[in-house]
Amino acid sequence: MKGKGKTAAACLAFAILFVCYGKILEYILVDDTASYTRIMFHEMYEQDQIDVLFAGSSHCYRSFVPEVFDSAWGGVNSFNAGTSSQGLDGSYMIIREAAKYNDIKHIYLELYFRMAFESYKERTEMTQTYIISDYLKPSLEKIRYLLEASDSSHYFNSFILARRNWQKFFEPDYVKNVLVKKQTDDYKNYAYTYVTGDVEWYAGKGYVANKDVVKNGNFFSSFGWEQLQMDQTAADWENSLKDIIQYCDEKGIQLTLISAPMSNFMLAGIENYDDYVEYVKRMLAGTGVEYYDFNLCREGFFPGNSELFKDPDHLNCYGAEAFSRLLADFVSKDISKDQLFYSSFQEKMECLEPTVFGISFHEDCNEKGETVRSCKIVSNGRLEYQIEMEPNEGDSYTQQEFSDNRFFSVSPDDHGICTVTYRLKEDLSNVRSVSIAY
């Protein structure tokens, strides 16, 4: 018995030393001094009571402003638990964690369509998982989350944080820089002072504000190029959504699914966004869970003004404020569903004045191994286009006279201004134009 006791004590001592050593390495090797989620989780655990929880990917933490809901709903404390590229397994973990410490009444889960295609065992980039797991309190649920988040090849990095950056141990300047930043009062007190380009900042209770503006429909982006392949949706996404619905039902938590607004440019470019909307509706049939897609919102309530977006995919702070006020009013029954939404995104595009939203592009290699940039004018309505190029270097030229062709190519090394002049096929006198930086 004595031998067994010594062995057990030795194992315990080794385990303690191993954990302590790992924590020391984590402190000097993992630079999370600019992490939004570190502050968000600290704040979440510090809340006396969370009544309303928002969960989801960056569309969540950039779209739902807790201050707006707290003010509009009176006596309610809301919290935004969005994280970058948050899969539904991450949402499920966060929901369970928040509900463990709070009597949550209502959860709004943001459903970003791209997450529906993610198979967890095929993950090769684990950042989206680690920015959640790194700041969760120790628990069996946390272990389960990490074991199910990927295949076994990632387990070592998942449970030993310092292993991810072990090469940095041999870079004295990196280690010194991390230690200096972690010794500041701001880091120790969870005060977020890091600002990205003077336009983005952590605004409290999980919300991240950004005052970048896309002006005059000047979208030039790889977003909006390909149609959605709904036959490639992942079973993992569907199963996680079912888990969330079941959990909320068992806990008596009201669950509402929301798709936050994205730019008309992005969704018009995709062309078959309605297939995703119908897919979600079929998933929810018989569950009693409501789903509201604000990309179907009528212009009178939320205009598709590009100046409400920081990029094709995300709202800026002005758009987030407007959207949050709209959602708060809608939930308060000041606006009816029929008043607010079109029946489909296609109907919305047909009701809007025909316009050019921007240019989407796709880069690929030709048979010679050269990079080729294919471009597509994103628009609605029956239009003809004239395309004129004004490169930063070289002479201006006409890419295309008036035609209904929306596709053209440009070298990825060329940059300048592309002016698209467009007119209705049925009314050649109604001519407008948009200039887009490429």
Side-chain angles (χ1 to χ4, degrees):
M1 292 294 295
K2 291 182 179 180
K4 291 182 179 180
K6 289 181 179 180
T7 301
C11 290
L12 178 61
F14 175 80
I16 293 172
L17 288 173
F18 181 80
V19 170
C20 292
Y21 181 62
K23 286 295 183 182
I24 293 171
L25 289 178
E26 174 188 333
Y27 188 80
I28 67 175
L29 295 180
V30 177
D31 186 359
D32 60 358
T33 56
S35 171
Y36 297 136
T37 51
R38 173 179 176 266
I39 313 298
M40 182 274 284
F41 273 106
H42 174 75
E43 281 193 288
M44 188 180 82
Y45 285 125
E46 290 292 304
Q47 299 296 305
D48 292 331
Q49 162 63 14
I50 296 174
D51 303 296
V52 176
L53 183 75
F54 299 96
S57 65
S58 56
H59 288 80
C60 178
Y61 72 69
R62 294 187 185 278
S63 300
F64 301 99
V65 186
E67 181 181 357
V68 170
F69 298 104
D70 293 350
S71 175
W73 292 339
V76 167
N77 184 40
S78 63
F79 194 87
N80 190 326
T83 60
S84 294
S85 300
Q86 187 181 112
L88 284 190
D89 61 331
S91 300
Y92 183 40
M93 179 68 239
I94 289 173
I95 287 170
R96 291 174 65 94
E97 187 74 358
K100 187 187 304 182
Y101 300 97
N102 300 274
D103 181 19
I104 297 175
K105 308 297 191 303
H106 202 141
I107 291 173
Y108 291 88
L109 177 62
E110 206 285 328
L111 288 187
Y112 178 39
F113 70 91
R114 292 191 186 278
M115 307 314 299
F117 300 89
E118 185 185 40
S119 176
Y120 304 156
K121 295 301 181 183
E122 295 175 4
R123 284 174 175 158
T124 56
E125 170 55 57
M126 295 296 294
T127 302
Q128 67 189 89
T129 298
Y130 295 155
I131 60 176
I132 295 173
S133 63
D134 287 0
Y135 305 111
L136 293 170
K137 292 182 178 180
S139 69
L140 292 177
E141 292 170 341
K142 175 178 176 178
I143 294 173
R144 175 198 58 79
Y145 170 54
L146 287 171
L147 291 176
E148 295 178 358
S150 66
D151 63 34
S152 58
S153 64
H154 294 284
Y155 289 170
F156 198 13
N157 282 355
S158 295
F159 291 97
I160 305 177
L161 278 61
R163 173 65 177 78
R164 303 171 203 164
N165 289 349
W166 67 269
Q167 300 97 328
K168 298 292 187 180
F169 185 79
F170 303 100
E171 299 180 20
D173 289 341
Y174 172 84
V175 172
K176 179 181 178 181
N177 184 50
V178 171
L179 289 175
V180 168
K181 289 189 290 186
K182 287 189 173 182
Q183 288 302 307
T184 63
D185 289 339
D186 285 339
Y187 182 83
K188 294 177 181 178
N189 297 324
Y190 295 89
Y192 196 88
T193 56
Y194 181 85
V195 176
T196 304
D198 294 329
V199 298
E200 182 166 302
W201 64 98
Y202 182 83
K205 290 173 62 170
Y207 169 58
V208 176
N210 185 296
K211 61 181 180 181
D212 268 330
V213 170
V214 179
K215 295 183 178 180
N216 305 318
N218 196 351
F219 286 111
F220 183 75
S221 170
S222 59
F223 285 104
W225 177 261
E226 296 180 334
Q227 290 193 347
L228 300 178
Q229 304 299 317
M230 297 309 300
D231 59 342
Q232 297 179 14
T233 54
D236 286 339
W237 184 89
E238 184 173 328
N239 291 333
S240 290
L241 183 55
K242 290 178 180 177
D243 288 340
I244 292 170
I245 293 172
Q246 181 179 348
Y247 179 81
C248 289
D249 184 59
E250 292 173 352
K251 295 295 183 180
I253 301 172
Q254 185 175 353
L255 174 66
T256 301
L257 306 185
I258 300 283
S259 286
M262 292 171 278
S263 67
N264 287 335
F265 161 78
M266 179 173 172
L267 299 185
I270 289 173
E271 297 181 357
N272 68 330
Y273 181 71
D274 283 326
D275 291 349
Y276 171 75
V277 177
E278 292 305 314
Y279 168 71
V280 175
K281 288 180 179 179
R282 288 194 299 271
M283 273 279 300
L284 297 177
T287 64
V289 176
E290 294 283 0
Y291 169 55
Y292 302 112
D293 193 321
F294 281 80
N295 295 292
L296 278 55
C297 191
R298 297 180 186 274
E299 294 285 295
F301 291 98
F302 192 86
N305 186 343
S306 68
E307 296 189 358
L308 296 176
F309 294 87
K310 67 173 287 289
D311 57 36
D313 216 8
H314 302 94
L315 295 169
N316 57 28
C317 59
Y318 315 109
E321 289 273 351
F323 166 61
S324 295
R325 287 195 297 270
L326 175 60
L327 177 58
D329 290 342
F330 175 59
V331 171
S332 300
K333 308 303 182 184
D334 293 337
I335 308 169
S336 73
K337 184 176 179 180
D338 291 338
Q339 282 180 303
L340 186 55
F341 298 109
Y342 289 103
S343 62
S344 67
F345 186 75
Q346 179 63 33
E347 182 190 5
K348 178 178 181 177
M349 289 295 98
E350 291 172 354
C351 290
L352 294 183
E353 182 179 5
T355 189
V356 169
F357 298 115
I359 296 174
S360 179
F361 68 85
H362 173 73
E363 292 186 355
D364 206 350
C365 290
N366 61 20
E367 55 189 20
K368 297 180 181 180
E370 302 168 331
T371 302
V372 177
R373 175 177 284 174
S374 301
C375 297
K376 175 178 71 174
I377 298 172
V378 177
S379 63
N380 65 324
R382 292 168 51 82
L383 298 173
E384 293 181 339
Y385 316 92
Q386 177 181 278
I387 306 170
E388 297 171 304
M389 312 299 290
E390 185 180 346
N392 292 338
E393 297 181 4
D395 298 329
S396 301
Y397 62 94
T398 299
Q399 177 79 34
Q400 172 181 295
E401 296 291 354
F402 275 107
S403 165
D404 60 4
N405 175 51
R406 298 189 295 132
F407 295 87
F408 63 99
S409 297
V410 64
S411 170
D413 297 324
D414 290 345
H415 303 281
I417 300 295
C418 173
T419 298
V420 179
T421 303
Y422 56 99
R423 64 191 185 189
L424 283 168
K425 286 185 177 182
E426 297 81 6
D427 182 8
L428 302 184
S429 64
N430 186 3
V431 180
R432 290 181 292 164
S433 66
V434 59
S435 295
I436 300 169
Y438 67 93

